[in-house]
Amino acid sequence: MPDAASPDLVELRTALAAAEARIAQLEQIIHDLRRSRFGQSIERVDPGQLALALGAAPPPPPAADHDAAAAPERKSASERRRNRGALPAHLERIEQVIDIADRACPCCRREMHRVGEDRAERLDVVPAQLRVRVTVRPRYACRRCAEGVHQAPAPARIVAGGLPTEALLAHVLVSKYGDGLPLYRQCQILARGGIHLDRATLCDWVRQACWWLRPLHELVLAHIVGHARVFADDTPLPTLAPGRGRTRDGRIWAYAADDRASGGTGPPAVAYVYAPDRKGIRPARHLAAFRGTLQVDGYGGFRALADRRNDGAIALAFCWAHLRRRFHKIHAHTASPIAAEALLRIGALYAIEREVRGRPAAERQAVRQERSAPLVRNLRTWLDAQLGRVSQGSALAAAIRYGLRHWEGLCRFLDDGTLELDTNSVEREIRPVVVTRKAALFAGSEGGGENWAIATTLIRTAILSSVNPQAWLTDVLERMVRGEVRSTELASLLPWAWRQPGIAAAA
């Protein structure tokens, strides 16, 4: 038998360990691909199951609430699903009175008196109705003078000589970029109403409407860049490459400002910017005037941006959700106890964050220093210890090294109560872009990508401001085309500053 310490046996064992690590790595890649295509996207894990898998006691149940104990028992699931709330007051009420045919008393045949009524409200809908707005401009002339014909000037239009009103243009924009309805489907809907339009016609409408809206997009982006804390992320947006007959990998960069979680009263906003690639010069150009804390994922372009600004103007706060996601993928595939414990430790931080959400920044910082900081220090010590126990070529080691490499930015939330634990604020605003992209497949051109960014910026910011984007865009386009607002007064048209009697109340 060969000696256990022989060079050949050592070499074979080394090769076997390397092959097993490579197999595990490839299996993890296959599992991730299958999960991304067929699996559920939710990353929720029951902490009790994780604790049981580690052989530990499950977390204790929430403390008893005497008020809750005094409350009646919980309703069944079928009863909870019913919406018994009152319908909004601004909706039109159309009453239908169902009366008895004979008001004579069955006994004495005298006329009965009305003693009350029962009212029941149901939500009704009138499908979108196409109509034609006719503009009549009478012409006048004097029978005795020769000065010609007098007539009021024609009103300006967004689409010169075109069919759509500003309301229809707003409907097309909101339907595509707010509700994910591609233009070819909108053409089919219009055709059912007897209006047959080519998709290229709607593309031209979108282009001309976005030309008018571009200054508002720039104002929203400037508002966000001037904020002290900004979330940043990006997502692919394929666009047709000119002259190639195939798509190129364009990107939509998203920048968001939202202080509501820390008790801030400033208006939340999100701005999208299209770029033909994912080079680091893109966010550097978009954030050239930014000074503050950038909450981002681990993309290297953001780190390079902070390094190039050697004046310390930009600090990076990295995302705990991205670190957690790496351990979650490993646990879902291998049920690794190390990944399970990492999920439990990170979950403890999120439990504290749920308690302080919405509180003032100073209070959040104090709670984090008292309760979260010890957990973070213990997690760092534990990660250092686990890195030496696992195979260095495994996905688990890669996840641990990812956390250690971004540790300074991960800990930044401890010293600033206005920061969030993750970048979910901007990831939620990326999701509508992904939904629309799946339905439309790609943007028609780079110009289409820019229009995509402009329209989505204004629609999503209006929704964040609790403003009806359809009503707001209609009013904005009408005011702009009529010349009612000067270029120096465009800020009054932004969603959080918009005021319109009747429309604003309904929105």
Side-chain angles (χ1 to χ4, degrees), residues 254-268:
Y255 305 99
D258 191 349
D259 285 338
R260 291 175 295 179
S262 58
T265 58

Side-chain angles (χ1 to χ4, degrees), residues 418-437:
T418 62
L419 297 181
E420 287 293 286
L421 203 61
D422 50 41
T423 60
N424 287 350
S425 295
V426 70
E427 288 195 10
R428 284 192 294 268
E429 300 307 318
I430 284 286
R431 192 173 297 119
V433 177
V434 176
V435 171
T436 306
R437 183 187 65 207

Side-chain angles (χ1 to χ4, degrees), residues 235-289:
T235 189
L237 182 63
T239 55
L240 285 178
R244 294 187 178 183
R246 57 186 179 87
T247 60
R248 63 185 302 176
D249 296 331
R251 309 293 293 193
I252 281 283
W253 296 85
Y255 305 99
D258 191 349
D259 285 338
R260 291 175 295 179
S262 58
T265 58
V270 59
Y272 305 85
V273 184
Y274 171 78
D277 51 51
R278 205 191 184 203
K279 295 180 181 178
I281 60 173
R282 305 302 178 183
R285 185 175 302 167
H286 305 155
L287 301 172

